[in-house]
Amino acid sequence: VRRRPAIDPALLGELRALSPARWLAACAFDWLLIVATFVIVGAIDHPLVYALAIFPIGSRQQGLGALFHDAAHRLVTRDRRLNDATGSLFAAWPLGLTLGGYRRYHLVHHRKLGSPGDPEMGHKRALPHWDLPLAPRQALHFASDLVGGGIPHLAAAGRMTRPVRAGEVIGLSIFWIGVALAFWQLHLLWVPLLWVVSIATTFWSGVRLRIFTEHLGTRDTHRITMHPWLEAIVMPHAIGLHWEHHHFPEVPFHRLRALRAALPSPRVIPLHELLRDLAKTRQLPSGDIADVTRDTDGSEGSSVATLDAPAELPLWTRLAAHVALPLAIGVGTYLFLRPDPPVAAALRAALHLGPLASAPVGSFLDVLPDAAWAYAVTATPLLVWWRGPRGARLGWTAAAVALAVGWELGQRVGVTPGGFSTEDLVGSATAAALALIVLYPRPRLEASRSATAEAPSEAA
Amino acid sequence: MITKLVSKARSIDTRHAFMLLALVAFVAMAAGSAPAP
């Protein structure tokens, strides 16, 4: 049982007071920045600006995520129905989440923190990106997030937080169908599209970062601080005050700082110090639980709890994420964002979409479809041969990489159709390399499974 | 002879066929999206 830090009950009473106005003000602030971003992006209408917009949008989605999290703890208002209606409409549904589904997952995380029953550990084990000590390779995951590498994580999170009531499914569906229809009518379909792309890229990237800073290498919660600007951008609305939140989940986000001030120990450590510390721990596979960082009273965890690993994502889901989605992004870019291919112009005319602003040659959007294609080509054999003989996997992957990169090179010498550009070549090669980095290593999950499977036969 | 061939064909992993089709589809996609000369 987790020991709760001692606090003056009268003070705690004050800190527990909810303020719907504070929640709504924070929410309005986030939405104002989001609307401003879309207005600016639409006004400039340059491909690069569309691409860069995912950063401010993703940051404000983090803000909404923090507010959604408060709503899940029923910290908007004491009126439960009003709490859920407000939280759903302004924070949960826009992020594709439901309060009930998230509660079922998150409240178990609170109760079972640091134990094998913590559902967060299941995620870390199924998609093992949180090995300790930290390695440079883990930084690459943030880059892969920007081209949709986080989709499998979002899919897993979506399953863990799937709605619990039919009413929630209906609400979420009506919300998104309404949004899509409204923006379609306004000829602004790029707005929800960019929104969803931001969720799948920068928003998830922020969640990934928080997973490193919250409970990694400890059975408890790290008590961290960081530069105010960094905090405002990546961990807004005090979502980084996770230690305070876990010990006093009844305190709303806007009073967590006051709560921190009231609790002098344990020491608050700067984010960079935690990351340095995480880079020096003993080995701890992603999803295993032990106290291995210095802020855990210096006590080295002895027993490493292990979990029954949840089933790996099915092949079709992974193909959807790593192959179909990049292809859809590429096709979407051709159809909606790049004016030059005649097929795209004809399709746009047929769909009454009208011509779009011209994209400068050599821009990001010229490279994106080629890069997305190269990623899909390389990812296909890696996933199809995820299990099975190493030779077949290597052979098909080599063929795929040869196609992904060779197609553009072939254009250089006139063997393959299309115009050669160095940017396309670099983009395709980078995407193929990214797919290799992300998908080549088969997780140790299988190794440990086969090891345990072999153990009894050795004994016998 | 024929049964031998059939059983050999059956023993081949269908994923090879899938990969072949997939790569052909990828080539078709790349060729189809190339702007007309």
Side-chain angles (χ1 to χ4, degrees), chain A residues 316 323 327 334 342-343 373 376-377 380-381 384-385 387-389 392 396 399-400 403 407 417-418, chain B residues 13-36:
Chain A
W316 291 110
V323 180
L327 290 178
Y334 259 103
V343 181
W373 175 82
V377 170
T380 302
V384 168
W385 295 98
R387 294 179 190 288
W396 279 111
L403 173 63
W407 188 267
Chain B
D13 199 320
T14 47
R15 286 179 290 182
H16 288 294
F18 180 87
M19 274 312 305
L20 205 60
L21 283 174
L23 289 192
V24 169
F26 282 127
V27 168
M29 187 179 280
S33 69

CSV table of all heavy atoms in Angstrom, one decimal, chain A residues 316 323 327 334 342-343 373 376-377 380-381 384-385 387-389 392 396 399-400 403 407 417-418, chain B residues 13-36:
chain,number,residue,atom,x,y,z
A,316,TRP,N,-2.8,-7.6,-39.2
A,316,TRP,CA,-3.5,-6.7,-40.1
A,316,TRP,C,-3.6,-5.3,-39.5
A,316,TRP,O,-3.5,-4.3,-40.2
A,316,TRP,CB,-5.0,-7.2,-40.3
A,316,TRP,CG,-4.9,-8.5,-41.1
A,316,TRP,CD1,-5.2,-9.7,-40.8
A,316,TRP,CD2,-4.6,-8.5,-42.5
A,316,TRP,NE1,-5.0,-10.6,-41.8
A,316,TRP,CE2,-4.6,-9.9,-42.9
A,316,TRP,CE3,-4.2,-7.6,-43.5
A,316,TRP,CZ2,-4.3,-10.3,-44.2
A,316,TRP,CZ3,-3.9,-8.0,-44.7
A,316,TRP,CH2,-3.9,-9.4,-45.1
A,323,VAL,N,1.6,0.3,-43.3
A,323,VAL,CA,1.6,0.2,-44.8
A,323,VAL,C,0.4,1.1,-45.3
A,323,VAL,O,0.6,2.0,-46.0
A,323,VAL,CB,1.5,-1.2,-45.2
A,323,VAL,CG1,1.4,-1.3,-46.7
A,323,VAL,CG2,2.7,-2.0,-44.7
A,327,LEU,N,0.5,4.9,-47.0
A,327,LEU,CA,0.0,5.0,-48.4
A,327,LEU,C,-1.1,6.0,-48.5
A,327,LEU,O,-1.2,6.8,-49.4
A,327,LEU,CB,-0.4,3.6,-48.9
A,327,LEU,CG,0.7,2.6,-49.2
A,327,LEU,CD1,0.2,1.3,-49.6
A,327,LEU,CD2,1.7,3.2,-50.2
A,334,TYR,N,-1.2,13.6,-52.7
A,334,TYR,CA,-1.3,13.7,-54.1
A,334,TYR,C,-2.6,14.3,-54.5
A,334,TYR,O,-2.7,15.2,-55.3
A,334,TYR,CB,-1.2,12.3,-54.8
A,334,TYR,CG,0.1,12.0,-55.4
A,334,TYR,CD1,1.0,11.2,-54.8
A,334,TYR,CD2,0.5,12.6,-56.6
A,334,TYR,CE1,2.2,10.9,-55.3
A,334,TYR,CE2,1.7,12.4,-57.2
A,334,TYR,CZ,2.6,11.5,-56.5
A,334,TYR,OH,3.8,11.3,-57.0
A,342,PRO,N,-1.7,14.8,-63.0
A,342,PRO,CA,-3.0,14.9,-63.8
A,342,PRO,C,-4.1,14.1,-63.2
A,342,PRO,O,-5.2,14.5,-63.2
A,342,PRO,CB,-2.6,14.5,-65.2
A,342,PRO,CG,-1.3,13.8,-65.1
A,342,PRO,CD,-0.6,14.3,-63.9
A,343,VAL,N,-3.7,12.9,-62.7
A,343,VAL,CA,-4.7,12.0,-62.1
A,343,VAL,C,-5.4,12.7,-60.9
A,343,VAL,O,-6.6,12.7,-60.7
A,343,VAL,CB,-4.1,10.7,-61.6
A,343,VAL,CG1,-5.1,9.8,-60.9
A,343,VAL,CG2,-3.3,10.0,-62.7
A,373,TRP,N,5.6,6.1,-49.5
A,373,TRP,CA,5.5,4.9,-50.3
A,373,TRP,C,6.7,4.0,-49.9
A,373,TRP,O,6.6,2.8,-49.7
A,373,TRP,CB,5.5,5.3,-51.8
A,373,TRP,CG,5.6,4.1,-52.7
A,373,TRP,CD1,4.6,3.3,-53.1
A,373,TRP,CD2,6.8,3.7,-53.4
A,373,TRP,NE1,5.1,2.4,-54.0
A,373,TRP,CE2,6.4,2.6,-54.2
A,373,TRP,CE3,8.2,4.1,-53.3
A,373,TRP,CZ2,7.4,1.9,-55.0
A,373,TRP,CZ3,9.1,3.4,-54.1
A,373,TRP,CH2,8.7,2.3,-54.9
A,376,ALA,N,6.2,2.3,-46.7
A,376,ALA,CA,5.3,1.2,-46.8
A,376,ALA,C,5.9,0.0,-47.4
A,376,ALA,O,5.7,-1.1,-47.0
A,376,ALA,CB,4.0,1.7,-47.5
A,377,VAL,N,6.7,0.3,-48.5
A,377,VAL,CA,7.3,-0.8,-49.2
A,377,VAL,C,8.2,-1.6,-48.3
A,377,VAL,O,8.2,-2.8,-48.2
A,377,VAL,CB,8.1,-0.3,-50.4
A,377,VAL,CG1,9.0,-1.4,-51.0
A,377,VAL,CG2,7.1,0.3,-51.5
A,380,THR,N,6.4,-3.6,-45.3
A,380,THR,CA,5.6,-4.8,-45.7
A,380,THR,C,6.3,-6.1,-45.4
A,380,THR,O,5.8,-6.9,-44.6
A,380,THR,CB,5.1,-4.7,-47.1
A,380,THR,OG1,4.4,-3.5,-47.3
A,380,THR,CG2,4.2,-5.9,-47.5
A,381,PRO,N,7.5,-6.3,-46.0
A,381,PRO,CA,8.1,-7.6,-45.7
A,381,PRO,C,8.5,-7.8,-44.2
A,381,PRO,O,8.5,-8.9,-43.7
A,381,PRO,CB,9.4,-7.6,-46.6
A,381,PRO,CG,9.7,-6.2,-46.8
A,381,PRO,CD,8.3,-5.5,-46.9
A,384,VAL,N,5.2,-8.8,-42.7
A,384,VAL,CA,4.7,-10.1,-43.2
A,384,VAL,C,5.6,-11.3,-42.6
A,384,VAL,O,5.1,-12.3,-42.3
A,384,VAL,CB,4.7,-10.1,-44.7
A,384,VAL,CG1,4.4,-11.5,-45.3
A,384,VAL,CG2,3.6,-9.2,-45.2
A,385,TRP,N,6.9,-11.0,-42.6
A,385,TRP,CA,7.8,-12.0,-42.1
A,385,TRP,C,8.2,-11.8,-40.6
A,385,TRP,O,9.3,-12.1,-40.3
A,385,TRP,CB,9.0,-12.1,-43.0
A,385,TRP,CG,8.7,-12.6,-44.4
A,385,TRP,CD1,8.4,-11.8,-45.4
A,385,TRP,CD2,8.5,-13.9,-44.8
A,385,TRP,NE1,8.1,-12.5,-46.5
A,385,TRP,CE2,8.1,-13.8,-46.2
A,385,TRP,CE3,8.6,-15.1,-44.2
A,385,TRP,CZ2,7.8,-15.0,-46.9
A,385,TRP,CZ3,8.3,-16.3,-44.9
A,385,TRP,CH2,7.9,-16.2,-46.3
A,387,ARG,N,7.3,-13.2,-38.0
A,387,ARG,CA,7.6,-14.5,-37.5
A,387,ARG,C,8.1,-15.4,-38.6
A,387,ARG,O,7.8,-15.1,-39.8
A,387,ARG,CB,6.4,-15.2,-36.9
A,387,ARG,CG,5.8,-14.5,-35.7
A,387,ARG,CD,4.6,-15.1,-35.1
A,387,ARG,NE,4.0,-14.3,-34.1
A,387,ARG,CZ,4.6,-14.1,-32.9
A,387,ARG,NH1,5.7,-14.7,-32.6
A,387,ARG,NH2,4.0,-13.3,-32.0
A,388,GLY,N,8.9,-16.4,-38.3
A,388,GLY,CA,9.3,-17.3,-39.4
A,388,GLY,C,10.8,-17.1,-39.7
A,388,GLY,O,11.5,-16.4,-39.0
A,389,PRO,N,11.2,-17.7,-40.8
A,389,PRO,CA,12.6,-17.8,-41.1
A,389,PRO,C,13.2,-16.5,-41.3
A,389,PRO,O,12.7,-15.6,-42.0
A,389,PRO,CB,12.6,-18.7,-42.4
A,389,PRO,CG,11.3,-18.6,-42.9
A,389,PRO,CD,10.3,-18.4,-41.8
A,392,ALA,N,14.2,-15.6,-45.2
A,392,ALA,CA,13.1,-15.1,-46.0
A,392,ALA,C,12.8,-13.6,-45.7
A,392,ALA,O,12.6,-12.8,-46.6
A,392,ALA,CB,11.8,-15.9,-45.8
A,396,TRP,N,13.4,-10.8,-48.6
A,396,TRP,CA,12.3,-9.9,-49.0
A,396,TRP,C,12.5,-8.5,-48.6
A,396,TRP,O,12.1,-7.5,-49.4
A,396,TRP,CB,11.0,-10.4,-48.5
A,396,TRP,CG,10.4,-11.6,-49.3
A,396,TRP,CD1,10.3,-12.9,-48.9
A,396,TRP,CD2,9.9,-11.5,-50.6
A,396,TRP,NE1,9.7,-13.6,-49.9
A,396,TRP,CE2,9.5,-12.8,-51.0
A,396,TRP,CE3,9.8,-10.5,-51.6
A,396,TRP,CZ2,9.0,-13.1,-52.2
A,396,TRP,CZ3,9.2,-10.8,-52.8
A,396,TRP,CH2,8.8,-12.1,-53.2
A,399,ALA,N,14.9,-7.0,-51.0
A,399,ALA,CA,14.2,-6.7,-52.3
A,399,ALA,C,13.4,-5.4,-52.2
A,399,ALA,O,13.3,-4.6,-53.1
A,399,ALA,CB,13.3,-7.9,-52.7
A,400,ALA,N,12.7,-5.3,-51.0
A,400,ALA,CA,11.8,-4.1,-50.8
A,400,ALA,C,12.7,-2.8,-50.7
A,400,ALA,O,12.3,-1.8,-51.3
A,400,ALA,CB,11.0,-4.3,-49.5
A,403,LEU,N,13.7,-1.9,-54.1
A,403,LEU,CA,12.7,-1.2,-54.8
A,403,LEU,C,12.4,0.2,-54.3
A,403,LEU,O,12.3,1.2,-55.1
A,403,LEU,CB,11.4,-2.0,-54.7
A,403,LEU,CG,10.1,-1.4,-55.3
A,403,LEU,CD1,10.3,-1.2,-56.8
A,403,LEU,CD2,8.9,-2.2,-55.0
A,407,TRP,N,13.8,2.7,-57.2
A,407,TRP,CA,12.8,3.3,-58.1
A,407,TRP,C,13.3,4.7,-58.4
A,407,TRP,O,13.3,5.1,-59.6
A,407,TRP,CB,11.5,3.3,-57.4
A,407,TRP,CG,10.4,3.8,-58.4
A,407,TRP,CD1,10.0,5.1,-58.5
A,407,TRP,CD2,9.7,3.0,-59.3
A,407,TRP,NE1,9.0,5.1,-59.5
A,407,TRP,CE2,8.8,3.9,-60.0
A,407,TRP,CE3,9.7,1.7,-59.7
A,407,TRP,CZ2,8.0,3.4,-61.0
A,407,TRP,CZ3,8.8,1.2,-60.7
A,407,TRP,CH2,8.0,2.1,-61.3
A,417,PRO,N,9.8,5.1,-64.8
A,417,PRO,CA,9.1,6.3,-65.2
A,417,PRO,C,9.1,7.3,-64.1
A,417,PRO,O,9.2,7.0,-62.9
A,417,PRO,CB,7.7,5.8,-65.5
A,417,PRO,CG,7.5,4.6,-64.7
A,417,PRO,CD,8.8,3.9,-64.6
A,418,GLY,N,9.0,8.6,-64.5
A,418,GLY,CA,9.0,9.7,-63.5
A,418,GLY,C,10.3,10.5,-63.5
A,418,GLY,O,11.3,10.1,-64.1
B,13,ASP,N,5.6,-21.4,-48.4
B,13,ASP,CA,4.9,-20.4,-47.6
B,13,ASP,C,4.1,-19.5,-48.4
B,13,ASP,O,4.7,-18.9,-49.4
B,13,ASP,CB,5.9,-19.7,-46.8
B,13,ASP,CG,5.3,-19.0,-45.6
B,13,ASP,OD1,4.2,-18.5,-45.7
B,13,ASP,OD2,6.0,-19.0,-44.5
B,14,THR,N,2.8,-19.3,-48.2
B,14,THR,CA,2.0,-18.4,-49.0
B,14,THR,C,2.4,-17.0,-48.9
B,14,THR,O,2.1,-16.1,-49.7
B,14,THR,CB,0.5,-18.5,-48.5
B,14,THR,OG1,0.4,-18.4,-47.1
B,14,THR,CG2,-0.2,-19.8,-49.0
B,15,ARG,N,3.2,-16.7,-47.8
B,15,ARG,CA,3.7,-15.3,-47.7
B,15,ARG,C,4.6,-14.9,-48.8
B,15,ARG,O,4.6,-13.7,-49.1
B,15,ARG,CB,4.4,-15.2,-46.3
B,15,ARG,CG,3.4,-15.2,-45.2
B,15,ARG,CD,4.1,-15.0,-43.8
B,15,ARG,NE,4.9,-16.2,-43.5
B,15,ARG,CZ,5.6,-16.4,-42.4
B,15,ARG,NH1,5.6,-15.4,-41.5
B,15,ARG,NH2,6.2,-17.5,-42.1
B,16,HIS,N,5.2,-15.9,-49.5
B,16,HIS,CA,6.0,-15.5,-50.6
B,16,HIS,C,5.1,-14.9,-51.7
B,16,HIS,O,5.5,-13.9,-52.3
B,16,HIS,CB,6.8,-16.7,-51.1
B,16,HIS,CG,7.9,-17.2,-50.2
B,16,HIS,ND1,9.0,-16.4,-50.0
B,16,HIS,CD2,8.1,-18.3,-49.5
B,16,HIS,CE1,9.8,-17.0,-49.2
B,16,HIS,NE2,9.3,-18.2,-48.8
B,17,ALA,N,4.0,-15.6,-51.9
B,17,ALA,CA,3.1,-15.1,-53.0
B,17,ALA,C,2.5,-13.7,-52.6
B,17,ALA,O,2.4,-12.9,-53.4
B,17,ALA,CB,1.9,-16.1,-53.1
B,18,PHE,N,2.2,-13.6,-51.3
B,18,PHE,CA,1.7,-12.3,-50.8
B,18,PHE,C,2.7,-11.2,-51.1
B,18,PHE,O,2.4,-10.1,-51.6
B,18,PHE,CB,1.3,-12.4,-49.3
B,18,PHE,CG,0.8,-11.1,-48.8
B,18,PHE,CD1,-0.5,-10.8,-48.8
B,18,PHE,CD2,1.7,-10.2,-48.2
B,18,PHE,CE1,-1.0,-9.6,-48.3
B,18,PHE,CE2,1.2,-9.0,-47.7
B,18,PHE,CZ,-0.2,-8.7,-47.8
B,19,MET,N,4.0,-11.5,-50.8
B,19,MET,CA,5.0,-10.5,-50.9
B,19,MET,C,5.2,-10.1,-52.4
B,19,MET,O,5.4,-9.0,-52.7
B,19,MET,CB,6.4,-11.0,-50.4
B,19,MET,CG,6.6,-10.8,-48.9
B,19,MET,SD,6.2,-9.1,-48.3
B,19,MET,CE,7.3,-8.2,-49.4
B,20,LEU,N,5.1,-11.2,-53.2
B,20,LEU,CA,5.3,-10.9,-54.7
B,20,LEU,C,4.2,-10.0,-55.2
B,20,LEU,O,4.4,-9.0,-55.9
B,20,LEU,CB,5.2,-12.3,-55.4
B,20,LEU,CG,6.0,-12.3,-56.8
B,20,LEU,CD1,7.4,-12.0,-56.6
B,20,LEU,CD2,5.8,-13.7,-57.4
B,21,LEU,N,3.0,-10.3,-54.8
B,21,LEU,CA,1.8,-9.5,-55.2
B,21,LEU,C,2.0,-8.1,-54.6
B,21,LEU,O,1.7,-7.1,-55.3
B,21,LEU,CB,0.5,-10.1,-54.7
B,21,LEU,CG,0.0,-11.3,-55.5
B,21,LEU,CD1,-1.2,-11.9,-54.8
B,21,LEU,CD2,-0.4,-10.9,-56.9
B,22,ALA,N,2.4,-8.0,-53.4
B,22,ALA,CA,2.5,-6.7,-52.7
B,22,ALA,C,3.5,-5.8,-53.5
B,22,ALA,O,3.3,-4.7,-53.8
B,22,ALA,CB,2.9,-6.8,-51.3
B,23,LEU,N,4.7,-6.4,-53.8
B,23,LEU,CA,5.7,-5.6,-54.5
B,23,LEU,C,5.2,-5.2,-55.9
B,23,LEU,O,5.5,-4.1,-56.4
B,23,LEU,CB,7.0,-6.4,-54.6
B,23,LEU,CG,7.8,-6.6,-53.3
B,23,LEU,CD1,9.2,-7.1,-53.5
B,23,LEU,CD2,7.9,-5.3,-52.5
B,24,VAL,N,4.5,-6.1,-56.6
B,24,VAL,CA,3.9,-5.8,-57.9
B,24,VAL,C,3.0,-4.6,-57.7
B,24,VAL,O,3.0,-3.6,-58.5
B,24,VAL,CB,3.2,-7.0,-58.5
B,24,VAL,CG1,2.4,-6.5,-59.7
B,24,VAL,CG2,4.3,-8.0,-58.9
B,25,ALA,N,2.2,-4.6,-56.7
B,25,ALA,CA,1.2,-3.5,-56.4
B,25,ALA,C,2.0,-2.2,-56.1
B,25,ALA,O,1.6,-1.2,-56.6
B,25,ALA,CB,0.3,-3.9,-55.2
B,26,PHE,N,3.1,-2.3,-55.4
B,26,PHE,CA,3.8,-1.1,-55.1
B,26,PHE,C,4.4,-0.5,-56.4
B,26,PHE,O,4.4,0.7,-56.6
B,26,PHE,CB,5.0,-1.4,-54.1
B,26,PHE,CG,4.5,-1.5,-52.7
B,26,PHE,CD1,4.8,-2.7,-51.9
B,26,PHE,CD2,3.8,-0.5,-52.1
B,26,PHE,CE1,4.3,-2.7,-50.6
B,26,PHE,CE2,3.3,-0.6,-50.8
B,26,PHE,CZ,3.6,-1.7,-50.0
B,27,VAL,N,4.9,-1.4,-57.2
B,27,VAL,CA,5.5,-1.0,-58.5
B,27,VAL,C,4.4,-0.3,-59.4
B,27,VAL,O,4.6,0.8,-59.9
B,27,VAL,CB,6.1,-2.1,-59.3
B,27,VAL,CG1,6.5,-1.7,-60.7
B,27,VAL,CG2,7.4,-2.6,-58.6
B,28,ALA,N,3.2,-0.9,-59.4
B,28,ALA,CA,2.1,-0.4,-60.2
B,28,ALA,C,1.7,1.0,-59.6
B,28,ALA,O,1.5,1.9,-60.4
B,28,ALA,CB,0.9,-1.3,-60.1
B,29,MET,N,1.7,1.1,-58.3
B,29,MET,CA,1.4,2.4,-57.7
B,29,MET,C,2.4,3.5,-58.1
B,29,MET,O,2.0,4.6,-58.4
B,29,MET,CB,1.4,2.2,-56.2
B,29,MET,CG,0.9,3.3,-55.4
B,29,MET,SD,0.9,2.9,-53.6
B,29,MET,CE,-0.6,2.0,-53.5
B,30,ALA,N,3.7,3.1,-58.0
B,30,ALA,CA,4.7,4.1,-58.3
B,30,ALA,C,4.6,4.5,-59.8
B,30,ALA,O,4.7,5.6,-60.2
B,30,ALA,CB,6.1,3.5,-58.0
B,31,ALA,N,4.4,3.5,-60.7
B,31,ALA,CA,4.3,3.8,-62.1
B,31,ALA,C,3.1,4.6,-62.4
B,31,ALA,O,3.2,5.5,-63.2
B,31,ALA,CB,4.3,2.5,-62.9
B,32,GLY,N,2.0,4.3,-61.7
B,32,GLY,CA,0.8,5.0,-62.0
B,32,GLY,C,0.8,6.4,-61.6
B,32,GLY,O,0.1,7.2,-62.2
B,33,SER,N,1.6,6.7,-60.5
B,33,SER,CA,1.5,8.1,-60.0
B,33,SER,C,2.6,8.9,-60.7
B,33,SER,O,2.6,10.1,-60.5
B,33,SER,CB,1.8,8.1,-58.5
B,33,SER,OG,3.1,7.7,-58.3
B,34,ALA,N,3.4,8.3,-61.6
B,34,ALA,CA,4.4,9.1,-62.3
B,34,ALA,C,3.7,10.0,-63.3
B,34,ALA,O,2.8,9.6,-64.0
B,34,ALA,CB,5.4,8.2,-63.0
B,35,PRO,N,4.0,11.3,-63.4
B,35,PRO,CA,3.3,12.2,-64.3
B,35,PRO,C,3.6,11.8,-65.7
B,35,PRO,O,4.6,11.2,-66.1
B,35,PRO,CB,4.0,13.6,-64.0
B,35,PRO,CG,5.2,13.3,-63.2
B,35,PRO,CD,5.0,12.0,-62.6
B,36,ALA,N,2.6,12.0,-66.6
B,36,ALA,CA,2.7,11.6,-68.0
B,36,ALA,C,3.8,12.4,-68.6
B,36,ALA,O,4.0,13.5,-68.3
B,36,ALA,CB,1.4,11.9,-68.7
